[in-house]
Amino acid sequence: MLDRLPKDSKILLFEGDYPSVNFPVISRGFEHVTTPVDEKLEEHITHAIKKHEPTVFIFSIVQYISGIKINLEFIKQLKEKFPELLIIGDGTQFLGTEVFNFSQSGFDVVGASGYKWLLGGYGNGFLLVSDYGKQILFPNLATQNVEIDKMWAGKGIDQLYFEPGHLDTLSHGTLQKGLEFLSELGLEHTAAYTQQLVKLAKQELGKRKILTEVAINRVETSTIFNLQIDQGHFNILMENNIKCFPRGNGIRIGFHLYNDETDLEKLLRIIDTKILK
């Protein structure tokens, strides 16, 4: 996708965003600027856009280290205010955690891996692209006269460009089953359930002073928390069957629809008796 952007694109990135988001931009030599991720995330973005006038904004909807989530209503407003700004989001840590309507979101492109919150198997990913996004990525579509083989009949150049030649039907099938499962449960129901659990977790972890001030002060809360405890405690958590990972200055955990308050109580008990004792 980056190789389809105009070479003179000026790209806005988040400081410390996922390496697979930032590094490909930097390594291609695009002119780029960064903005910090903290309590005033949205204010920083607006300021950076007015000051640097980027043509593209690329970022993770939920930050992979801290779990900080951008305000999605802000993205809609941003698109209204700067309609020519190409807004590209990585939804790997987000899609599947709450209801999301791409066509009304303000995003021009959202890409994600399906293995995480969408419950799909490894090796699948997808891109959602708006009409404006297609205009920017494939500006000469209308004038190109490309002969398309019969096996590709009915597909546009944009589909052919992004589809690999060999598709892993098993991998894609697991993503389909994950989507069907979430649809059967009702994503609005699973999201409400998870957010209630996350709200309780935020309260309890905040009481123990093991969340960053940014995480505590942000109204927007994702399903990910970075516990501000020594990474040397990672093995203690894993040995007690708490799946987690060292990230940044702490240890990252997450909650999904298969977790419940019993899991949270277990985590808190281990923290209280084996880590903060």
Side-chain angles (χ1 to χ4, degrees):
M1 182 197 66
L2 291 176
D3 291 335
R4 295 298 308 179
L5 292 178
K7 301 304 180 186
D8 61 350
S9 295
K10 186 175 185 179
I11 301 177
L12 176 64
L13 303 169
F14 281 151
E15 294 175 6
D17 206 338
Y18 193 54
S20 291
V21 173
N22 284 5
F23 180 73
V25 171
I26 297 169
S27 66
R28 279 167 173 77
F30 280 111
E31 182 181 0
H32 64 279
V33 293
T34 61
T35 186
V37 177
D38 59 22
E39 293 98 324
K40 298 181 179 180
L41 172 66
E42 289 78 14
E43 291 181 32
H44 293 316
I45 294 168
T46 302
H47 175 74
I49 291 173
K50 290 180 178 179
K51 179 179 179 180
H52 301 290
E53 298 183 343
T55 56
V56 186
F57 178 26
I58 303 177
F59 62 97
S60 297
I61 298 173
V62 172
Q63 292 298 296
Y64 82 111
I65 291 179
S66 64
I68 292 175
K69 185 182 83 172
I70 196 167
N71 184 300
L72 295 179
E73 190 60 36
F74 168 77
I75 294 298
K76 292 181 183 179
Q77 297 168 2
L78 196 67
K79 190 62 181 176
E80 292 174 0
K81 192 176 296 185
F82 305 100
E84 294 185 357
L85 177 69
L86 190 70
I87 302 178
I88 301 173
D90 183 327
T92 298
Q93 302 286 1
F94 168 71
L95 294 181
T97 65
E98 62 182 74
V99 175
F100 178 71
N101 188 323
F102 173 70
S103 63
Q104 299 177 13
S105 67
F107 284 93
D108 295 299
V109 181
V110 171
S113 298
Y115 78 93
K116 196 98 177 176
W117 308 100
L118 290 173
L119 309 175
Y122 292 100
N124 61 62
F126 56 89
L127 286 172
L128 309 174
V129 187
S130 70
D131 289 337
Y132 179 67
K134 292 177 184 178
Q135 289 175 24
I136 299 298
L137 296 176
F138 300 94
N140 300 318
L141 266 182
T143 60
Q144 288 177 347
N145 184 21
V146 181
E147 291 187 18
I148 297 180
D149 192 279
K150 291 182 179 179
M151 68 178 288
W152 290 335
K155 293 187 177 183
I157 299 296
D158 53 334
Q159 289 175 283
L160 302 180
Y161 182 85
F162 287 116
E163 278 192 5
H166 293 237
L167 304 180
D168 185 341
T169 54
L170 178 61
S171 179
H172 288 191
T174 63
L175 177 59
Q176 180 181 359
K177 285 297 182 183
L179 291 172
E180 288 175 352
F181 180 63
L182 290 169
S183 297
E184 288 170 7
L185 293 174
L187 196 53
E188 67 278 7
H189 301 307
T190 62
Y193 168 80
T194 308
Q195 281 302 311
Q196 184 177 1
L197 182 60
V198 165
K199 182 179 179 181
L200 179 60
K202 184 176 180 179
Q203 292 173 350
E204 293 298 326
L205 296 171
K207 288 178 185 176
R208 289 160 174 80
K209 302 186 185 303
I210 54 174
L211 294 179
T212 64
E213 288 297 315
V214 176
I216 292 172
N217 295 332
R218 288 280 296 176
V219 175
E220 295 286 325
T221 302
S222 74
T223 52
I224 295 173
F225 294 102
N226 192 300
L227 306 181
Q228 297 300 287
I229 57 180
D230 193 293
Q231 291 187 352
H233 296 306
F234 170 69
N235 288 334
I236 293 176
L237 293 172
M238 291 292 286
E239 288 167 2
N240 286 273
N241 206 30
I242 301 293
K243 304 303 180 185
C244 54
F245 204 80
R247 287 294 193 199
N249 297 319
I251 298 176
R252 188 184 71 186
I253 61 166
F255 294 92
H256 204 5
L257 57 90
Y258 41 71
N259 294 120
D260 57 26
E261 289 189 22
T262 303
D263 294 321
L264 174 59
E265 291 168 2
K266 178 181 178 181
L267 171 66
L268 296 174
R269 183 171 65 253
I270 294 168
I271 290 173
D272 292 339
T273 60
K274 298 181 182 294
I275 296 175
L276 299 181
K277 60 181 180 178

